[in-house]
């Protein structure tokens, strides 16, 4: 029997049977859970299989046991960025590159018309030992072979190196495409906005969610406030790139940011006038590449092929899976027939509410990183803050637990009481809006439940320059 590298999860139970038959680690995992690996292919429902995670599957097995095929099938071994712990090694093969390149090809054709227009592509995700930059570059090289007019540079996260590439080469090309984490985009616009505005710049962001307010700000800073120049892609080191924004998903998200009823219908998050708008990432994905389930707790489960295949794997993102028909019906019911027609009725779509990693446990209330993001990224603070932050709890002098939010100032900005107070009030509003448990604690404890906000100098301790920003301690 061939290995999972040569299969896709279009028929997920059959795929799981292939993995069970060929992958030593997964056979052992099933046996430990009381399941005969040889019966998996005949199971009526994938949900009968246990959930795998980094902790119970990847970290307790060697790559040799996780990879069913021959060593020659592995193109690359690289590490995760370690944003939620110790960096972890992951293997990639040809199937993963093919799938990712297909996805990015769609994004680049829609935003940059790269089969006809030349593009200087700057991959600013971490390179070297890390997965992000290396995998992205591989996919772009694959797109070159598919006749996309791309030139690839890999400066990593060093803004001076990125700027040097743009200064040296961008004039030769029709456009520049930046592949970056959101804070790097802001750094470049803050420090070299004039340079970027001299070129047509498309921004492809990944690694963390962004708000529509962030998108609007970046487009304005690029000099194209009404342009279609910012796209979000969704993926994880473990499972590869999964989904991508389209013009239709962005338009729906933007409409919902101004229509609380539509936002509640589409995304399940409520707000009223003056509130901070909380929205998930909203992307289209290809189920023939990635089979996605949602478990009883709302976690996304991924079944993906490759040289390191995964079955029902949880990355700790919560979300929802929607069909194009479901989205169309929701839009029609809310009076958005034009937007409904822009959605592919046969397409598959994914809502991602972000990592559930707890930033802080405060008075027995779990506070997640996404609860703080709307405040730190608020448009009223865009000229003062970079968008990076770290949230945590620490004891005060009398060993009482205090909630702390460290936020990074933009270059040249100084800490001042008015900005700190403004961020404090925005953070309180966001926490109260997004956490019913925090509202109770805040009502009971008042000022003692409010965060201490510390404005930190640009690039001070705790704010990274060479990897993905950790938002927890």
């Amino acid at each position: 029997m061939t290995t999972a590298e040569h299969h896709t999860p279009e028929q997920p139970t059959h795929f799981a049977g292939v993995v069970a038959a060929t992958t030593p680690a997964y056979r052992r995992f099933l046996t430990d859970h009381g399941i005969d690996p040889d019966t998996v292919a005949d199971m009526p429902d994938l949900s009968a299989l246990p959930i795998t995670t980094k902790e119970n599957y990847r970290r307790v097995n060697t790559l040799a046991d996780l990879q069913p095929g021959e060593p020659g099938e592995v193109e690359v071994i690289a590490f995760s960025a370690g944003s939620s712990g110790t960096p972890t090694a992951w293997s990639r093969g040809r199937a993963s590159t093919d799938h990712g390149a297909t996805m990015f090809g769609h994004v680049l054709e829609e935003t940059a018309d790269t089969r006809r227009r030349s593009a200087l592509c700057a991959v600013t995700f971490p390179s070297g030992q890390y997965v992000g930059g290396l995998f992205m570059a591989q996919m772009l090289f694959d797109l070159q072979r598919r006749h996309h007019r791309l030139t690839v540079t890999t400066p990593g996260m060093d803004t001076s190196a990125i700027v040097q590439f743009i200064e040296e080469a961008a004039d030769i090309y029709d456009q520049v495409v930046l592949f970056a984490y959101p804070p790097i985009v802001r750094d470049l616009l803050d420090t070299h906005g004039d340079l970027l505005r001299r070129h047509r710049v498309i921004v492809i962001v990944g690694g963390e969610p962004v708000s529509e307010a962030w998108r609007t700000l970046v487009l304005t800073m690029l000099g194209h406030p009404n342009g279609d120049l910012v796209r979000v892609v969704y993926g994880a080191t473990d499972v590869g790139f999964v989904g991508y924004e389209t013009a239709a998903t962005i338009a729906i998200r933007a409409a919902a940011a101004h229509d609380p009823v539509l936002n509640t219908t589409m995304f399940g998050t409520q707000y009223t006038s003056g509130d901070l708008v909380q929205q998930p990432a909203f992307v289209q994905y290809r189920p023939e590449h990635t089979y996605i389930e949602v478990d009883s707790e709302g976690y996304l489960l991924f079944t993906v092929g490759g040289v390191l295949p995964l079955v029902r794997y949880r990355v700790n993102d919560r979300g929802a899976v929607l069909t194009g028909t479901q989205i169309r019906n929701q839009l029609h019911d809310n009076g958005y027939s034009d937007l409904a027609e822009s959605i592919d009725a046969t397409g598959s779509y994914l809502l991602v509410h972000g990592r559930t990693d707890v930033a802080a446990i405060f008075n027995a209330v779990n506070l997640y990183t996404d609860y703080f993001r709307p405040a730190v990224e608020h448009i009223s603070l865009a000229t003062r803050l970079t968008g990076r932050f770290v949230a945590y709890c620490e004891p005060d002098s009398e060993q009482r637990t205090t909630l702390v939010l460290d936020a990074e100032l933009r270059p040249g900005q100084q800490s001042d009481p008015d900005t700190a107070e403004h961020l404090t009030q925005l953070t309180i509003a966001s926490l109260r809006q997004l956490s019913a448990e925090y509202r109770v604690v805040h009502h009971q404890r008042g000022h003692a439940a409010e965060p201490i906000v510390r404005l930190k100098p640009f690039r001070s301790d705790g704010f990274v320059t060479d990897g993905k920003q950790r938002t927890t301690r």
Side-chain angles (χ1 to χ4, degrees):
M1 181 179 289
T2 58
T3 67
E5 169 67 358
H6 306 291
H7 288 257
T8 61
E10 289 182 87
Q11 298 177 310
T13 305
H14 172 74
F15 173 83
V18 173
V19 179
T22 61
T23 307
Y26 194 60
R27 290 185 68 83
R28 185 164 55 247
F29 177 79
L30 293 175
T31 300
D32 290 345
H33 283 80
I35 297 173
D36 181 353
D38 296 325
T39 67
V40 170
D42 298 322
M43 287 184 174
D45 191 348
L46 197 70
S47 64
L49 297 174
I51 292 170
T52 55
T53 66
K54 185 182 291 185
E55 287 68 32
N56 74 9
Y57 186 65
R58 169 59 193 94
R59 284 181 173 163
V60 298
N61 289 291
T62 64
L63 286 178
D65 282 350
L66 291 161
Q67 298 169 181
E70 296 296 321
E73 293 182 356
V74 179
E75 288 188 334
V76 167
I77 298 175
F79 281 85
S80 62
S83 57
S84 60
T86 304
T88 306
W90 294 93
S91 304
R92 289 280 184 269
R94 170 49 39 188
S96 298
T97 304
D98 285 345
H99 297 166
T102 297
M103 182 186 76
F104 276 99
H106 177 91
V107 174
L108 289 174
E109 284 193 59
E110 194 170 77
T111 59
D113 193 17
T114 50
R115 289 190 186 274
R116 295 193 300 173
R117 303 183 67 188
S118 62
L120 175 66
C121 296
V123 179
T124 74
F125 299 127
S127 297
Q129 67 174 332
Y130 295 111
V131 169
L134 182 59
F135 190 32
M136 188 70 251
Q138 280 186 291
M139 290 183 289
L140 293 175
F141 294 146
D142 201 75
L143 287 174
Q144 289 174 338
R145 291 188 285 272
R146 301 185 193 189
H147 307 295
H148 287 256
R149 299 179 60 193
L150 311 178
T151 297
V152 181
T153 65
T154 56
M157 300 180 74
D158 183 347
T159 54
S160 61
I162 300 167
V163 168
Q164 183 177 6
F165 274 116
I166 294 173
E167 288 178 332
E168 289 283 347
D171 287 338
I172 307 171
Y173 297 88
D174 294 325
Q175 57 206 323
V176 175
V177 183
L178 291 175
F179 297 85
Y181 295 141
I184 297 299
V185 177
R186 277 299 309 275
D187 286 354
L188 288 168
L189 286 166
D190 288 343
T191 56
H192 294 86
D194 289 344
L195 172 65
L196 296 186
R197 282 187 289 274
R198 291 205 298 268
H199 304 279
R200 184 176 190 269
V201 176
I202 293 94
V203 176
I204 312 294
V205 295
E208 59 187 77
V210 301
S211 63
E212 285 307 301
W214 187 92
R215 191 196 311 272
T216 299
L217 172 68
V218 167
L219 289 171
T220 301
M221 295 177 78
L222 286 172
H224 297 279
N226 299 313
D228 180 17
L229 302 176
V230 176
R231 291 293 177 94
V232 173
V233 294
Y234 169 69
T237 299
D238 325 35
V239 298
F241 286 107
V242 174
Y244 49 91
E245 285 187 324
T246 67
T249 63
I250 293 171
I252 293 167
R253 208 167 177 258
H258 295 92
D259 184 341
V261 175
L262 180 62
N263 202 70
T264 301
T265 300
M266 286 297 306
F267 305 134
T269 53
Q270 299 179 350
Y271 70 90
T272 57
S273 179
D275 279 348
L276 302 171
V277 180
Q278 179 80 356
Q279 293 180 322
F282 181 25
V283 299
Q284 185 168 3
Y285 75 98
R286 303 186 178 215
E288 70 272 20
H289 294 169
T290 310
Y291 181 77
I292 306 175
E293 306 166 80
V294 181
D295 71 9
S296 60
E297 298 179 24
Y299 287 102
L300 300 173
L301 306 178
F302 299 90
T303 296
V304 296
V307 295
L308 199 161
L310 298 169
V311 177
R312 308 198 79 219
Y313 184 86
R314 190 175 79 189
V315 298
N316 286 339
D317 282 337
R318 284 194 171 101
V321 173
L322 298 170
T323 66
T325 299
Q326 287 174 315
I327 295 170
R328 281 185 163 212
N329 290 339
Q330 290 173 335
L331 292 169
H332 278 301
D333 291 345
N334 282 269
Y336 288 88
S337 295
D338 289 346
L339 287 180
E341 295 306 312
S342 70
I343 286 289
D344 178 3
T346 64
S348 298
Y349 296 84
L350 183 66
L351 304 181
V352 186
H353 289 280
R355 285 290 164 94
T356 59
D357 305 272
V358 175
I361 301 176
F362 181 68
N363 283 258
V365 176
N366 289 339
L367 300 178
Y368 300 102
T369 57
D370 282 354
Y371 291 4
F372 297 88
R373 198 178 305 278
V376 179
E377 293 183 352
H378 196 268
I379 190 68
S380 62
L381 292 170
T383 61
R384 302 282 290 140
L385 304 181
T386 66
R388 292 185 180 90
F389 67 93
V390 183
Y392 55 97
C393 286
E394 68 177 16
D396 63 14
S397 59
E398 298 180 2
Q399 297 303 303
R400 289 189 292 262
T401 299
T402 302
L403 180 61
V404 179
L405 176 65
D406 291 345
E408 186 186 42
L409 290 161
R410 287 177 58 187
Q413 297 292 321
Q414 302 295 321
S415 178
D416 69 276
D418 288 344
T419 300
E421 177 61 20
H422 185 40
L423 178 55
T424 299
Q425 295 307 315
L426 287 171
T427 303
I428 294 167
S430 183
L431 293 174
R432 285 181 58 86
Q433 181 182 329
L434 299 174
S435 172
E437 293 174 309
Y438 179 83
R439 283 199 299 272
V440 173
V441 172
H442 189 245
H443 177 74
Q444 292 174 340
R445 299 196 59 204
H447 182 69
E450 295 174 356
I452 293 175
V453 169
R454 299 168 178 167
L455 303 180
K456 298 291 188 176
F458 184 69
R459 289 294 184 267
S460 55
D461 186 45
F463 296 101
V464 303
T465 59
D466 59 354
K468 188 186 297 185
Q469 173 67 38
R470 293 188 65 175
T471 55
T472 65
R473 211 182 247 191

